[in-house]
Amino acid sequence: MSQAQTESVDEDGVIESVSGPVVTAADLDARMNDVVYVGEEGLMGEVIEIEGNLTTIQVYEETSGVGPGEPVENTGEPLSVDLGPGLLDTIYDGVQRPLDELETKMNSAFLDRGVDAPGIDLERTWEFTPTVEAGDAVEPGDVIGEVPETESITHKVMVPPDSDGGEIESIESGTFTVDETVATLDSGEEISMHQEWPVRSARPAAEKRTPTVPLVSGQRVQDGLFPIAKGGTAAIPGPFGSGKTVTQHQLAKWSDADIVVYVGCGERGNEMTEVIEDFPELEDPKTGKPLMSRTCLIANTSNMPVAARESCIYTGITIAEYFRDMGYDVALMADSTSRWAEAMREISSRLEEMPGEEGYPAYLSAALSEFYERAGLFENVNGTEGSVSVIGAVSPPGGDFSEPVTQNTLRIVKTFWALDADLAERRHFPSINWNESYSLYRQQLDPWFRDNVAEDYPEVRQWGVDVLDEEDELQEIVQLVGKDALPEDQQLTLEVARYLREAWLQQNAFHDVDTFCPPEKTYRMLQAIKTFNDEAFNALDAGVPVEEIQEVNAAPRLNRMGTAEEWDEFIDDLEGDLESQIRELY
Amino acid sequence: MKEYQTITEISGPLVFAEVDEPVGYDEIVEIETEDGRTLRGQVLESSEGLVSIQVFEGTGGIDRNASVRFLGETMKMPVTEDLLGRVMDGSGNPIDGGPEIVPDERRDIVGAAINPYSREYPEEFIQTGVSSIDGMNTLVRGQKLPIFSGSGLPHNDLALQIARQATVPEEDEGDDDDDEGSEFAVIFGAMGITQEEANEFMADFERTGALERSVVFMNLADDPAVERTVTPRLALTTAEYLAFDKGYHVLVILTDITNYCEALREIGAAREEVPGRRGYPGYMYTDLAQLYERAGRIQGREGSVTQIPILTMPSDDITHPIPDLTGYITEGQIIVDRSLNSQGIEPPINVLPSLSRLMDDGIGEGLTRGDHADVSDQLYAAYAEGEDLRDLVNIVGREALTDRDNKFLDFADRFENEFVQQGYDTNRSIGDTLDIGWDLLSTLPKEELNRIDEDLIAEYYREDAAEAVQAD
Ligand SMILES: Nc1ncnc2c1ncn2[C@@H]1O[C@H](COP(=O)(O)OP(=O)(O)O)[C@@H](O)[C@H]1O
Ligand SMILES: [Mg+2]
């Protein structure tokens, strides 16, 4: 997190009371959202309420042993993040303290308190290459140079949004630390690679646009049925164990975003460790470079201080916006937004605020929409186009989607991936329920799929949707009379639907090949099942009994398409065999 | 140390006292009653001039004249390797008549969070000898895998079976006796269980000689409820010390988390907090996480902490806040099922809602066996399909089902009777478990095994089994 530049000039306050993460102080001269240091140990906190002479502070660290009478010092600055080269290939806590740095400073595997560290390394040097020259006029947001930040990402150095702009007086290539001046303006303003931004305000943009390009996920049920746009929003609600985290990890691994910001909010420590261990080894399918070099991780695990859980979401989205400003497509995953909402609830209840639905604060809905509003496809102030896609997991108590966080989220997001415990139990993964889920982006993305995957992509998809719908209806009858009692054509529909579910919608995240499915393969797999469908119904019309059609030995090979490495040939052969074998029957 | 006789209010487990110097949040307090008893408590809220104190042993016997001492530190657990073999009460006082414990160190019982950057991802297979766990919900070293059960179900038998049989196969080879490393040190933390249950555990520990490598903390049903909030923290502080300082692989059994949560609810109510779902405090998720997350492995450290918390689901309801919040934090769950239990299945584990989230990295070629993941997936899918058909067969009868459906029905029955059923004394190797899996899968047509790699089917599928079934 960003550290106060100036020594505090304000009066210190004195702690009046301590209750868990909430501390009140008297005589503190502070503004709302100022960062303060609490107690003898200087624990980081933020002002969240001011009433008369009393200031209420949420503390981002454990408060055990802290008592009344200890001092509170105001930094006079709002909670901000450090922005600049060094954000990627990093793991932070909820207030942007690098966790590797904390390990070193604390000399322990356990998180101690009262230790601070800047969000980006202030000592490290970077190769800066200007993209403008002396005499050029620049405005806030304009790119003035580039730094190779990681193997795969070029960091764009921008004029800070709060600068006045002007004419470049001097600018040179060279090796600099983030705080050294790389350019000087005629106004005398010095520009370095280091910016700060208060996390609770969105970074400015020129215009929000309608997204028309999908965030390709490499997951069949998503790309195939419920696509999300670059700059879109999605929610993944589901009970525990239904696959929220694996789905988020899959998107972080395989989606075609330029930058991934992954926020582990109030979830397991090991899940973050898994990312830290796996991502450096995995290849970005787009660039062939290690995935970690496009990734920024933010971890406030469930046992870390609850106030920092409230802030980690904002830390994440601000970093995402910063890369968006450079013209990148950023995807932000938040796992889980429910823990964030619960953190708000916990703080709010300690403040004895009037509770709204289920004890959540009345501003829950506003906080959620403010957050998701920061997603979008934007024309940036510097004229480039960038996007932030936001995908939030939701953890409804008891798996009941009628609760406030799910409901308020669904009112905002445009893609709904509903996870289903029943599917998860039978190990149908991803357990995204195809009847309940939806994507409101389908139509605006169709042209892209037509142009880039197949001209008839939307039609073939619609065929698949129709078969699955029909199966849903037929299942109700089957539950009463058994499958054998159905007419033959309906039995065949059930068979086709089964292939859609088992061979197409199911996708094993842990299989080397199946884990990532390019949209072309998604399309061809669906086509192959349709080939089976069309041939089979022709045969049925020609009087072939349904059992004979089902027993065609090429059919079960449909189940092997997902794991087939040479899928193009595999599907060519399979379609050929299906055709000839079924036609042989009549 | 200053003494106060300034108690202004006593309410449930809470005592409020006026103070004239600052007292730290979470600090330990001693309260001496007029009849000379000393009770311990903890500061729940500290403001200028007034503190609220939660008394572990209950507030019975405290009156306005009791004197209050603030110890100036948060609660500590004295740790040493000599704790192994000892039995203590729920506050950490020895109750086994053994020698006084000379600590190496005193550790804060509210453990600091492990830095996620310092963790090592758990992936060493633990063989429990229980097929439905090893085969389909594999436990690994450093995992937190709770048992979700119901009142009157045999969760204790299962927990004891795991504690007795758990080994890490590779290290086991050859020198069995002198290799302490592959044996687990067991930390047993009891919260509000009955004396009878406690005896069951103790008798088993003694019978198998496990007591020597165990540390036992006992808060029984008639012990103070508030003490239950401390007991698991003492247990976990000891576990972390033995694992990360002394290199032990530690298995922590905590039972019953439901009683722990009831204690939290009681304290919350006494503090007049705004209650969350079903009256449990809104911070229960965070509170439970502070227990469950104290499991794992740390880079560069020898030992590990594996947790098996046990909880009884009120009315067998998995959506109840206690199992629900637990399931959201732990790395899976093992479900003990009432109807399987009445069928006489031992252990009555229902695999379908059970899960081990760390299974995927702990199994496979070189770890267990190359076919493990596929076999597990297929067993799940086939059993789920058979289970579905049971409802239907009740309505339409077997004759109305297709041949295929009938095979899945038979499969589901045999799965319960041969794979899940094994008794509490049978210790199956992972190889045996997977072989039984193949016996059952081979009763299904080969083409139905769409979760299993074709090469593996070629290697393991038993043509004879399928024919045998077709014949009759
Ligand atoms: N796409 C998938 N492929 C294979 N297994 C999956 C997939 N999604 C989920 N799983 C399985 O489900 C388990 C639980 O998933 P997880 O994402 O951790 O659930 P949640 O976050 O909803 O609690 C995982 O450990 C894994 O075994
Ligand atoms: Mg999860």
Side-chain angles (χ1 to χ4, degrees):
Chain A
M1 104 107 204
S2 134
Q3 294 177 314
Q5 302 292 299
T6 45
E7 270 309 299
S8 123
V9 283
D10 306 311
E11 279 295 295
D12 281 359
V14 177
I15 296 182
E16 180 83 21
S17 74
V18 184
S19 165
V22 173
V23 166
T24 57
D27 303 330
L28 185 70
D29 182 10
R31 290 168 303 183
M32 272 299 268
N33 300 118
D34 275 356
V35 170
V36 296
Y37 291 110
V38 175
E40 309 290 355
E41 289 176 81
L43 310 183
M44 198 206 296
E46 182 185 357
V47 173
I48 54 171
E49 195 176 81
I50 300 172
E51 209 186 317
N53 186 37
L54 281 188
T55 304
T56 308
I57 298 155
Q58 62 175 354
V59 183
Y60 293 124
E61 304 182 70
E62 291 304 329
T63 52
S64 289
V66 177
E70 293 187 41
V72 177
E73 184 195 329
N74 187 10
T75 65
E77 300 200 7
L79 186 66
S80 302
V81 285
D82 287 307
L83 300 169
L87 288 166
L88 297 175
D89 192 2
T90 313
I91 175 165
Y92 293 116
D93 76 355
V95 286
Q96 210 206 4
R97 295 181 302 182
L99 287 172
D100 54 347
E101 190 73 10
L102 292 188
E103 184 190 67
T104 316
K105 279 197 172 177
M106 294 168 180
N107 190 25
S108 165
F110 293 87
L111 289 168
D112 199 354
R113 46 184 212 186
V115 179
D116 210 345
I120 50 179
D121 192 334
L122 302 178
E123 254 105 79
R124 181 164 170 193
T125 57
W126 302 92
E127 283 304 317
F128 174 80
T129 312
T131 52
V132 294
E133 19 184 271
D136 288 353
V138 292
E139 288 177 40
D142 282 355
V143 175
I144 57 167
E146 293 183 344
V147 169
E149 180 173 353
T150 63
E151 279 181 71
S152 50
I153 298 298
T154 303
H155 195 101
K156 313 274 169 68
V157 177
M158 296 171 290
V159 179
D162 52 3
S163 152
D164 293 326
E167 198 170 289
I168 300 269
E169 199 161 84
S170 69
I171 186 164
E172 253 164 85
S173 62
T175 311
F176 300 97
T177 66
V178 291
D179 278 330
E180 283 171 339
T181 302
V182 295
T184 315
L185 302 185
D186 57 354
S187 60
E189 185 178 344
E190 295 183 340
I191 298 176
S192 72
M193 295 186 268
H194 183 183
Q195 299 188 9
E196 284 172 28
W197 192 261
V199 296
R200 296 186 195 276
S201 356
R203 283 173 68 87
E207 192 197 352
K208 202 166 186 170
R209 296 179 174 164
T210 305
T212 53
V213 177
L215 180 74
V216 175
S217 65
Q219 311 301 305
R220 289 189 286 274
V221 56
Q222 278 133 320
D223 294 341
L225 293 182
F226 311 112
I228 175 179
K230 284 202 173 87
T233 50
I236 318 178
F240 62 82
S242 58
K244 296 179 293 296
T245 303
V246 175
T247 306
Q248 296 270 41
H249 280 192
Q250 287 297 91
L251 289 167
K253 285 176 186 166
W254 310 125
S255 73
D256 66 346
D258 298 314
I259 307 279
V260 169
V261 178
Y262 193 98
V263 186
C265 177
E267 297 285 311
R268 303 177 187 83
N270 276 329
E271 289 173 349
M272 299 313 289
T273 310
E274 189 182 5
V275 175
I276 305 172
E277 286 185 12
D278 285 357
F279 277 35
E281 316 278 305
L282 291 170
E283 258 179 32
D284 179 349
K286 230 170 68 170
T287 60
K289 298 284 167 23
L291 274 177
M292 202 58 205
S293 57
R294 68 165 194 185
T295 308
C296 173
L297 295 173
I298 295 160
N300 173 280
T301 58
S302 56
N303 56 338
M304 281 156 80
V306 81
R309 192 164 313 156
E310 193 272 335
S311 67
C312 67
I313 291 281
Y314 297 102
T315 300
I317 192 91
T318 309
I319 292 173
E321 285 172 339
Y322 176 64
F323 282 102
R324 172 208 74 194
D325 284 346
M326 299 178 203
Y328 286 120
D329 292 315
V330 187
L332 178 135
M333 288 94 201
D335 185 10
S336 157
T337 58
S338 293
R339 306 301 166 217
W340 169 51
E342 285 161 11
M344 280 191 259
R345 176 172 68 183
E346 187 170 337
I347 305 288
S348 156
S349 105
R350 300 224 188 220
L351 291 178
E352 295 177 2
E353 291 175 341
M354 195 56 178
E357 234 181 321
E358 309 229 352
Y360 286 102
Y363 47 81
L364 170 72
S365 160
L368 282 168
S369 30
E370 240 170 72
F371 166 62
Y372 282 104
E373 264 309 305
R374 291 173 76 169
L377 172 70
F378 291 91
E379 184 190 323
N380 293 319
V381 288
N382 58 21
T384 59
E385 192 176 76
S387 68
V388 175
S389 313
V390 172
I391 298 131
V394 185
S395 316
D400 177 0
F401 290 180
S402 67
E403 58 90 39
V405 182
T406 314
Q407 286 306 313
N408 281 303
T409 304
L410 288 185
R411 237 173 276 148
I412 311 159
V413 301
K414 293 190 149 187
T415 313
F416 173 41
W417 295 319
L419 298 184
D420 183 324
D422 189 56
L423 291 175
E425 280 193 8
R426 58 193 64 230
R427 295 328 190 235
H428 173 112
F429 288 120
S431 67
I432 294 177
N433 182 305
W434 49 93
N435 293 315
E436 273 181 64
S437 304
Y438 59 79
S439 163
L440 301 181
Y441 295 111
R442 258 192 204 166
Q443 276 186 350
Q444 70 207 63
L445 299 178
D446 275 352
W448 186 93
F449 282 108
R450 283 193 203 281
D451 294 347
N452 293 278
V453 186
E455 186 46 45
D456 61 349
Y457 194 96
E459 288 76 27
V460 180
R461 176 185 60 212
Q462 193 53 47
W463 166 80
V465 171
D466 292 343
V467 174
L468 290 168
D469 282 350
E470 196 176 340
E471 181 196 34
D472 196 39
E473 283 161 26
L474 292 177
Q475 282 299 353
E476 282 172 29
I477 308 173
V478 171
Q479 285 309 311
L480 296 174
V481 298
K483 216 183 291 177
D484 265 5
L486 291 184
E488 291 210 316
D489 59 332
Q490 295 187 345
Q491 288 187 37
L492 192 54
T493 299
L494 286 180
E495 183 79 355
V496 173
R498 195 159 71 92
Y499 282 119
L500 283 177
R501 284 188 285 110
E502 295 184 0
W504 191 59
L505 292 179
Q506 239 174 60
Q507 186 172 355
N508 185 352
F510 304 111
H511 188 281
D512 289 343
V513 176
D514 203 21
T515 185
F516 171 67
C517 187
E520 296 73 23
K521 182 176 174 188
T522 294
Y523 169 78
R524 284 219 62 193
M525 288 173 67
L526 181 56
Q527 243 328 328
I529 298 170
K530 188 160 183 297
T531 301
F532 169 70
N533 175 82
D534 296 351
E535 293 296 332
F537 273 97
N538 286 342
L540 197 68
D541 286 347
V544 183
V546 70
E547 293 83 33
E548 275 184 40
I549 301 173
Q550 284 171 351
E551 263 156 37
V552 155
N553 69 32
R557 270 164 55 208
L558 288 166
N559 290 316
R560 308 288 168 185
M561 293 188 293
T563 53
E565 212 154 349
E566 309 292 332
W567 49 272
D568 232 358
E569 292 97 277
F570 185 94
I571 296 175
D572 283 343
D573 291 350
L574 177 56
E575 286 187 320
D577 291 351
L578 283 169
E579 236 175 65
S580 60
Q581 290 180 11
I582 297 178
R583 286 182 191 182
E584 252 166 48
L585 300 174
Y586 61 98
Chain B
M1 195 184 322
K2 203 153 175 184
E3 275 202 36
Y4 294 91
Q5 277 184 321
T6 52
I7 293 180
T8 57
E9 188 186 334
I10 303 169
S11 149
L14 302 188
V15 167
F16 298 82
E18 288 175 347
V19 291
D20 58 12
E21 61 184 4
V23 173
Y25 172 70
D26 256 2
E27 248 180 50
I28 290 300
V29 186
E30 280 181 2
I31 299 179
E32 204 172 311
T33 60
E34 279 187 302
D35 53 9
R37 281 195 308 143
T38 304
L39 305 172
R40 292 212 297 170
Q42 193 174 11
V43 175
L44 274 190
E45 186 161 345
S46 170
S47 33
E48 197 73 54
L50 186 74
V51 293
S52 58
I53 301 158
Q54 150 190 340
V55 184
F56 301 139
E57 291 93 339
T59 46
I62 303 181
D63 64 10
R64 285 201 178 77
N65 300 322
S67 52
V68 180
R69 282 191 299 269
F70 296 94
L71 303 193
E73 62 165 23
T74 52
M75 187 143 179
K76 302 279 193 289
M77 169 75 203
V79 287
T80 152
E81 248 179 300
D82 299 338
L83 283 170
L84 288 167
R86 300 301 301 270
V87 182
M88 280 156 291
D89 68 11
S91 294
N93 308 306
I95 49 170
D96 55 3
E100 200 187 317
I101 292 163
V102 185
D104 239 18
E105 219 181 296
R106 297 173 68 251
R107 290 248 169 116
D108 215 316
I109 66 160
V110 184
I114 301 177
N115 185 334
Y117 181 79
S118 312
R119 282 183 184 266
E120 189 173 314
Y121 197 70
E123 45 197 11
E124 288 162 293
F125 167 63
I126 296 176
Q127 181 174 297
T128 66
V130 178
S131 290
S132 43
I133 297 179
D134 295 351
M136 300 173 72
N137 296 287
T138 318
L139 176 69
V140 299
R141 256 185 194 160
Q143 184 169 11
K144 38 188 181 290
L145 187 63
I147 297 174
F148 284 13
S149 186
S151 45
L153 294 179
H155 40 266
N156 291 344
D157 296 316
L158 176 60
L160 281 168
Q161 183 176 21
I162 296 170
R164 272 195 315 270
Q165 299 181 353
T167 53
V168 174
E170 297 132 335
E171 294 193 17
D172 237 20
E173 281 163 20
D175 52 351
D176 229 352
D177 308 311
D178 57 86
D179 183 15
E180 286 267 321
S182 69
E183 277 212 331
F184 285 91
V186 177
I187 309 250
F188 182 68
M191 293 161 278
I193 63 171
T194 60
Q195 183 70 53
E196 212 174 314
E197 279 180 286
N199 292 346
E200 196 185 328
F201 276 100
M202 292 311 293
D204 203 81
F205 288 163
E206 274 163 30
R207 181 173 63 81
T208 58
L211 194 56
E212 275 171 57
R213 47 183 174 87
S214 303
V215 187
V216 177
F217 296 87
M218 287 279 185
N219 167 288
L220 298 182
D222 55 355
D223 287 335
V226 178
E227 187 184 76
R228 278 163 215 162
T229 60
V230 174
T231 311
R233 295 187 162 80
L234 298 171
L236 289 164
T237 305
T238 309
E240 282 174 348
Y241 170 81
L242 290 176
F244 303 129
D245 288 60
K246 298 293 166 189
Y248 287 84
H249 291 291
V250 183
L251 183 69
V252 183
I253 299 175
L254 298 173
T255 183
D256 179 330
I257 296 290
T258 303
N259 296 333
Y260 172 84
C261 293
E262 298 303 342
L264 281 188
R265 178 160 71 169
E266 188 182 327
I267 296 163
R271 292 179 68 185
E272 297 177 3
E273 293 167 347
V274 185
R277 253 176 101 215
R278 303 214 199 171
Y280 295 93
Y283 49 78
M284 194 157 88
Y285 176 83
T286 305
D287 189 282
L288 285 173
Q290 279 165 354
L291 301 182
Y292 296 142
E293 276 288 316
R294 293 174 81 174
R297 304 219 55 170
I298 291 177
Q299 276 177 45
R301 308 277 175 100
E302 192 54 34
S304 59
V305 176
T306 307
Q307 269 192 43
I308 304 197
I310 300 173
L311 64 84
T312 44
M313 300 183 274
S315 336
D316 292 349
D317 177 8
I318 197 168
T319 68
H320 183 282
I322 298 170
D324 192 48
L325 296 181
T326 298
Y328 271 120
I329 304 163
T330 53
E331 285 148 344
Q333 66 278 340
I334 302 293
I335 309 273
V336 177
D337 182 90
R338 199 169 294 280
S339 81
L340 286 177
N341 187 52
S342 31
Q343 279 176 52
I345 304 289
E346 293 181 343
I349 294 176
N350 184 357
V351 295
L352 294 179
S354 299
L355 168 70
S356 164
R357 296 166 189 267
L358 300 186
M359 175 166 181
D360 310 291
D361 283 301
I363 62 170
E365 191 76 60
L367 298 162
T368 54
R369 220 166 78 177
D371 57 330
H372 193 159
D374 287 5
V375 168
S376 169
D377 272 357
Q378 191 71 62
L379 288 171
Y380 268 110
Y383 180 51
E385 184 149 5
E387 259 273 299
D388 280 351
L389 289 164
R390 283 178 176 164
D391 292 336
L392 180 60
V393 88
N394 285 335
I395 303 172
V396 300
R398 274 216 172 218
E399 309 71 45
L401 295 191
T402 57
D403 209 30
R404 174 180 183 278
D405 287 353
N406 273 307
K407 284 194 175 129
F408 277 92
L409 265 177
D410 292 335
F411 173 88
D413 291 341
R414 289 191 58 183
F415 175 79
E416 287 167 5
N417 293 318
E418 294 170 39
F419 189 88
V420 182
Q421 165 71 33
Q422 67 176 86
Y424 296 107
D425 295 313
T426 309
N427 188 353
R428 288 186 189 152
S429 73
I430 182 63
D432 288 349
T433 289
L434 293 175
D435 289 346
I436 298 171
W438 276 109
D439 283 343
L440 301 177
L441 291 175
S442 299
T443 63
L444 300 173
K446 235 194 254 184
E447 315 78 65
E448 292 293 340
L449 305 186
N450 56 25
R451 304 296 187 97
I452 306 183
D453 192 89
E454 282 166 313
D455 294 340
L456 294 171
I457 296 182
E459 187 175 344
Y460 291 104
Y461 187 81
R462 315 237 164 85
E463 304 285 350
D464 48 332
E467 276 154 26
V469 170
Q470 256 152 27
D472 46 61

